[in-house]
Amino acid sequence: HSETRPLGTGGALLDCRELCGDWVLVVNGDTLFLCDVASLVARGVERGRDGAIAGVVMSDTSRYGSLDLLDGLLRGFHEKRAGSGAVNGGLILLRKAILAPFPGGQAMSLETDLLPELISQGRQIAVTTSAAPFLDIGTPDTVAQADTFVARHRAEFAGDWTAGP
C-alpha cells in the first residue's frame, strides 16, 4: 500500500487498516529497540484493553518527549522536557475495531492526533516499560550509530524469537 501524498503516522495506519487482521502492530521504521513483543501483546490483549505501547525508560527524555502514564495506562504524551521517564519505543499494538470511526485519506499524527483521541474516548492503551537497548535512528547523527548499536547487541538480535513465552 503506498501513499499518493504524505499522511503522517496516523493517516498511514488508517489508510492500510483494511489489510490488517483484528489486531494491528505498528512498528516505527526509525527505531532500533530490543522490545519484548510477546509481553507487549500480552498486555495489549488483556481483558478490556484496546492495545498497548512499548515504552523505553530513560534518564533524560528531553530529546523525545515522554509518555503520560497512570496505573499502567497511557494518558497522553508530554512535550519534550528534561527529566526521567518513559518514551515511545516505536511499537504500538491496537485493536483494529477502535480505528473504525476514523475516516481514511487524511493526514494525522499517531502521537498527537489519533492516540489522544482514542484516550479521550476512554480507550485503554496499556504501557509496557523496559530499559532494553534502544536507538532512535531518525537523524543523520544517530543513523551513523546504527552499525555500532547492532554490533554491540548482535547476540540479542540473533536470539531465538520462535520459542515463544
Side-chain angles (χ1 to χ4, degrees):
H1 204 81
S2 61
E3 297 175 341
T4 55
R5 64 185 176 85
L7 296 175
T9 53
L13 168 60
L14 294 174
D15 242 30
C16 73
R17 65 189 149 184
E18 75 277 358
L19 303 172
C20 301
D22 293 339
W23 290 90
V24 180
L25 180 63
V26 179
V27 181
N28 286 6
D30 63 354
T31 57
L32 296 173
F33 179 32
L34 291 167
C35 174
D36 180 355
V37 177
S39 176
L40 176 74
V41 170
R43 286 280 292 147
V45 301
E46 284 178 0
R47 186 181 182 118
R49 301 280 192 250
D50 296 299
I53 185 170
V56 181
V57 177
M58 298 191 154
S59 59
D60 181 13
T61 64
S62 60
R63 179 175 170 211
Y64 308 99
S66 59
L67 305 176
D68 180 6
L69 310 176
L70 179 63
D71 297 328
L73 297 176
L74 182 65
R75 291 290 167 230
F77 297 88
H78 295 295
E79 288 299 319
K80 296 176 181 181
R81 63 183 185 185
S84 63
V87 302
N88 178 1
L91 283 94
I92 302 169
L93 178 72
L94 296 172
R95 186 183 306 272
K96 179 182 172 180
I98 69 172
L99 303 174
F102 295 92
Q106 297 179 10
M108 72 170 56
S109 164
L110 193 58
E111 294 84 5
T112 61
D113 300 315
L114 187 59
L115 286 172
E117 179 59 28
L118 290 170
I119 293 164
S120 75
Q121 294 172 4
R123 299 298 182 175
Q124 291 193 355
I125 310 296
V127 178
T128 63
T129 55
S130 167
F134 170 84
L135 179 65
D136 176 342
I137 56 172
T139 68
D141 289 341
T142 56
V143 166
Q145 298 170 24
D147 286 340
T148 302
F149 179 89
V150 171
R152 185 180 314 124
H153 301 289
R154 185 171 307 282
E156 294 158 290
F157 279 116
D160 181 5
W161 300 102
T162 61

